[in-house]
Amino acid sequence: MLTKLGSLAQRTSLRTKLFLTFFPLLLLLLGCFLVYVNWFVVQPLREKTVDETLLTATKLSEQLDDYLGVQNQLSQRLLANARLFEAMDLERNPSYTRLARVRMLKEAMFQALGPSMDIRDMVVYDLNGDPVASYLGMNDPLDLKSIAQDPEYADALGGSHYILYKTRPDTMAFVRSITNVDGQIFGYLSILLDNAYMQKVANGVLGSDVYVVDADGSVVLKSTHARETFPEEQLAKEWSGSGIFTDVSSDNYVAYRKSDNNDWTTVVVTSKASALGSVNSVKNISIIVIVSLTVFSFVYLYFSASNFVLPIRRLRAQIMRMNYSNLNLQSDSKLQNNDLVLLNEAFGELLDRLQTSIEREKLAVHEEAMARNSALQAHIAPHFIHNALYLISIASQEGKNEAVSDMCKQLSESLRYIVSSPYKHVSMLEEIEHTRRYLSLVERNYEEDLQWEIDMDPSADAIQLPRLVIQPFVENCIEHAFNRTDPPWTIRIQVKLYNGLWAIEIGDNGQGLRPEEIKAIMDKIEQSDHGIQDMKRESLGIGSMGIVNTVNRLKLMYKNRLFFNIFNNADQGATVQIIASLKRDFY
């Protein structure tokens, strides 16, 4: 019987043994975690969050009340100044000019404001609601005619109360009547509140939307990122006192507090997910605790079942020693567990298949890049040959036999350069020499009208390039840059080397390019994305096919380490600029 039990234990998988060892301990740890979170974390924090949300609404309301209280005191200081009534009493002081009255009013406002000012402006109006004097002289004061003539505001303005009036989305005014001790009204005082301060108060609550509504349910102030989609019927309800409730439709906490000094109600809307963020923090701490307990359990497992863990460590050590160039896995002959043996064999087979797939993928990528480069180059070579033969035919018709012979020799050298080993890259020196032959060939036809110079850093001779990179740009200069320019025509080629980069600049003294032509070429290069596009020469003007294909072949070679640009020179003509890294990253 014992022999059978021992044989069964050997055939039992490692997963089963570990599960049976950990199962009671995991149940205990999970039970402790659930009890701790539910009884000692979630419930207390939820209650605390509700109280803090309500306290936030109360604090915001008090801050706004304090700010309005300051404006009330400011207005009372101004009303206590006798010069205010002296300037506003037209019957007793008819001899005062308007300028004298404005000066007296501004002095009174300055004495009331003091050295600091937390408002946008203060304006005094006459009984008709027309502005008389402004402290800062705003060009567009509020129109209080509607208030002065509206019976709805008569009771409030007739006594010692004030009203809060909003005429524009960005303008809130504190308005009260200018009344002496006898109750006689001389005009109105408007204090334009500092929207920036009130907005700062509304934005002071992170993770919540703040709304300030008046008695009609209209929003007079809200936080910058407050949602426009909050239900209007929620804000238009009749508010009284303070409280908090849950908006079932949006799953938010809505805390509110109605001011005792005015008809404003501050509403704070906080999503439950944001409000319970502290609960999640405590949960994370709890997870850390449970992880620590799990680590302790692993220590217990190590001492009680080290014979289970040791084979896994050996297998892990072999895997860690592997890298991209070494995917060999040596079998561990000491493994006794059947699951580990199967895992070891399966992993070895996986590495073999992975190595084979990597080699196939590298070969496929290489062949694809070669094919694309060859296809792009095939667009360039026929065009070059056609133009060269055309120049030779012109020289032949003009009877320049010696020139024809020399041009044929130059064409022969160029063709040998083009067709020899088309898949291989060439050096910068070889490409420059091919360009020299082309310019010499063309020069036979244009004689003294064409001038060219090549300036190359000797250190750049060995830089690798695809074939036919520089010559297509030179050909574009000759065919398109000089159409509307009088000779002599000049082409300058510069090859520079600096700070780990190489640069080629090909410039001419032609008519240059229009900005829309440059943009069209750059857009076409961006759209081609290294591919072969079916584009016609007239689609972009100025030989765009050669430009796009040449840049694409360079991108195939240098990938994201290539910079290409076309710009007009400051004096005359245009320049093509190619910059790439010296670090090799060939396909």
Side-chain angles (χ1 to χ4, degrees):
M1 185 66 179
L2 293 175
T3 304
K4 292 182 178 181
L5 289 175
S7 177
L8 179 61
Q10 289 182 355
R11 292 195 301 269
T12 303
S13 67
L14 179 62
R15 181 185 62 181
T16 304
K17 292 179 181 179
L18 292 175
F19 179 80
L20 292 177
T21 303
F22 260 104
F23 185 73
L25 183 60
L26 287 176
L27 284 181
L28 176 62
L29 294 176
L30 182 59
C32 294
F33 176 76
L34 293 176
V35 171
Y36 171 77
V37 171
N38 284 282
W39 288 87
F40 299 100
V41 178
V42 176
Q43 293 298 332
L45 281 180
R46 183 172 297 166
E47 296 174 359
K48 182 180 179 181
T49 299
V50 172
D51 295 339
E52 289 180 348
T53 305
L54 180 58
L55 181 61
T56 299
T58 303
K59 288 183 177 180
L60 291 178
S61 179
E62 291 176 350
Q63 283 183 277
L64 294 175
D65 285 348
D66 291 343
Y67 178 67
L68 295 176
V70 171
Q71 312 315 317
N72 188 28
Q73 294 176 7
L74 172 61
S75 65
Q76 291 176 358
R77 286 199 301 270
L78 182 61
L79 294 179
N81 194 324
R83 294 183 65 83
L84 172 67
F85 295 98
E86 182 182 351
M88 295 296 293
D89 194 344
L90 301 179
E91 295 180 358
R92 293 186 179 182
N93 304 298
S95 61
Y96 286 177
T97 64
R98 176 176 178 81
L99 180 61
R101 296 179 189 277
V102 170
R103 186 174 299 168
M104 294 173 63
L105 290 174
K106 287 197 173 185
E107 282 185 19
M109 286 188 282
F110 177 77
Q111 294 174 3
L113 284 170
S116 62
M117 188 174 84
D118 56 356
I119 61 175
R120 293 174 58 190
D121 199 3
M122 179 184 292
V123 186
V124 175
Y125 296 81
D126 59 18
L127 289 173
N128 296 323
D130 296 320
V132 178
S134 172
Y135 181 70
L136 294 180
M138 293 184 62
N139 296 327
D140 188 20
L142 293 177
D143 182 10
L144 293 188
K145 291 183 180 179
S146 58
I147 295 181
Q149 301 172 3
D150 192 344
E152 179 182 352
Y153 301 107
D155 294 338
L157 295 177
S160 59
H161 299 290
Y162 62 85
I163 64 172
L164 299 172
Y165 185 63
K166 183 176 183 180
T167 59
R168 294 192 292 265
D170 60 342
T171 304
M172 177 66 64
F174 175 100
V175 182
R176 73 180 315 155
S177 59
I178 301 176
T179 310
N180 62 10
V181 294
D182 298 328
Q184 181 182 0
I185 300 177
F186 290 86
Y188 302 96
L189 172 64
S190 170
I191 300 176
L192 297 182
L193 303 180
D194 186 358
N195 287 348
Y197 173 80
M198 295 193 296
Q199 191 65 53
K200 183 178 180 180
V201 172
N203 294 339
V205 183
L206 299 178
S208 301
D209 296 338
V210 177
Y211 304 88
V212 179
V213 297
D214 56 16
D216 299 330
S218 300
V219 178
V220 297
L221 177 66
K222 66 178 181 178
S223 55
T224 304
H225 301 293
R227 290 166 295 177
E228 300 286 349
T229 57
F230 190 78
E232 295 182 358
E233 60 272 11
Q234 292 284 8
L235 299 177
K237 64 182 294 185
E238 294 184 4
W239 306 93
S240 61
S242 62
I244 188 171
F245 62 90
T246 301
D247 182 13
V248 181
S249 60
S250 58
D251 198 24
N252 294 324
Y253 287 125
V254 181
Y256 62 92
R257 199 254 189 183
K258 183 176 178 61
S259 174
D260 298 330
N261 302 323
N262 50 68
D263 59 355
W264 282 6
T265 301
T266 303
V267 182
V268 178
V269 181
T270 307
S271 66
K272 287 187 176 181
S274 175
L276 297 178
S278 57
V279 177
N280 296 330
S281 299
V282 175
K283 283 184 178 180
N284 292 334
I285 296 175
S286 303
I287 291 174
I288 294 175
V289 172
I290 198 66
V291 168
S292 301
L293 293 175
T294 304
V295 171
F296 170 77
S297 302
F298 274 112
V299 173
Y300 163 76
L301 178 65
Y302 173 78
F303 287 105
S304 62
S306 59
N307 57 323
F308 297 154
V309 180
L310 185 58
I312 297 178
R313 289 185 175 179
R314 290 176 179 173
L315 182 59
R316 178 180 177 275
Q318 293 184 24
I319 295 174
M320 292 298 293
R321 289 194 296 269
M322 295 179 186
N323 52 47
Y324 181 78
S325 60
N326 178 23
L327 297 179
N328 296 323
L329 177 65
Q330 297 180 355
S331 300
D332 189 353
S333 59
K334 297 181 180 180
L335 294 177
Q336 301 295 330
N337 190 281
N338 185 52
D339 287 345
L340 292 178
V341 174
L342 296 176
L343 176 62
N344 190 39
E345 295 175 354
F347 196 79
E349 295 176 359
L350 174 63
L351 292 178
D352 292 338
R353 293 195 299 270
L354 180 61
Q355 182 68 46
T356 303
S357 298
I358 290 175
E359 295 299 330
R360 290 177 178 175
E361 183 67 19
K362 288 170 61 177
L363 180 60
V365 170
H366 176 78
E367 292 178 350
E368 180 187 359
M370 287 298 183
R372 293 175 66 184
N373 179 61
S374 200
L376 289 170
Q377 184 171 318
H379 282 264
I380 303 295
H383 187 263
F384 160 74
I385 296 171
H386 169 77
N387 287 347
L389 290 175
Y390 178 71
L391 292 175
I392 293 173
S393 67
I394 292 176
S396 176
Q397 291 174 5
E398 294 176 353
K400 300 178 181 179
N401 296 331
E402 183 178 351
V404 170
S405 176
D406 188 54
M407 293 170 72
C408 289
K409 181 179 179 181
Q410 297 287 353
L411 177 59
S412 175
E413 293 294 331
S414 297
L415 290 176
R416 182 180 295 107
Y417 173 78
I418 293 173
V419 301
S420 62
S421 302
Y423 295 105
K424 293 183 179 180
H425 299 124
V426 296
S427 66
M428 181 72 72
L429 180 60
E430 292 175 310
E431 185 65 16
I432 288 293
E433 288 301 322
H434 171 68
T435 305
R436 287 181 191 273
R437 288 193 296 270
Y438 174 75
L439 285 169
S440 298
L441 189 150
V442 174
E443 188 180 25
R444 292 286 186 174
N445 185 55
Y446 291 96
E447 297 180 348
E448 296 180 356
D449 289 343
L450 179 63
Q451 301 175 359
W452 54 273
E453 58 177 314
I454 298 177
D455 181 16
M456 185 176 71
D457 190 332
S459 302
D461 288 353
I463 292 174
Q464 296 291 292
L465 295 172
R467 293 175 187 271
L468 299 180
V469 168
I470 301 177
Q471 178 266 327
F473 292 110
V474 175
E475 186 175 351
N476 280 333
C477 293
I478 295 173
E479 290 192 8
H480 304 285
F482 305 134
N483 289 340
R484 296 188 299 274
T485 305
D486 295 330
W489 302 313
T490 302
I491 296 177
R492 298 176 302 276
I493 302 174
Q494 290 182 311
V495 181
K496 304 175 183 178
L497 208 64
Y498 51 88
N499 295 333
L501 300 173
W502 62 262
I504 301 174
E505 292 186 355
I506 305 168
D508 60 66
N509 66 340
Q511 72 267 22
L513 300 172
R514 296 191 304 274
E516 56 269 21
E517 291 178 332
I518 296 177
K519 182 178 184 303
I521 294 173
M522 299 305 291
D523 290 345
K524 202 66 177 179
I525 292 174
E526 183 71 21
Q527 294 169 6
S528 65
D529 191 22
H530 305 179
I532 303 172
Q533 299 290 325
D534 182 15
M535 62 187 96
K536 298 181 180 179
R537 178 178 299 275
E538 61 271 15
S539 61
L540 294 177
I542 70 165
S544 60
M545 181 181 70
I547 294 177
V548 174
N549 283 358
T550 302
V551 174
N552 281 340
R553 288 188 293 120
L554 284 167
K555 286 184 178 180
L556 281 173
M557 183 172 179
Y558 285 93
K559 298 181 172 61
N560 61 344
R561 297 180 295 107
L562 180 79
F563 172 80
F564 177 79
N565 189 25
I566 302 177
F567 59 90
N568 287 322
N569 302 325
D571 49 359
Q572 186 178 5
T575 297
V576 172
Q577 188 179 61
I578 303 171
I579 302 176
S581 172
L582 285 172
K583 180 182 177 182
R584 295 192 177 187
D585 189 14
F586 300 165
Y587 47 82

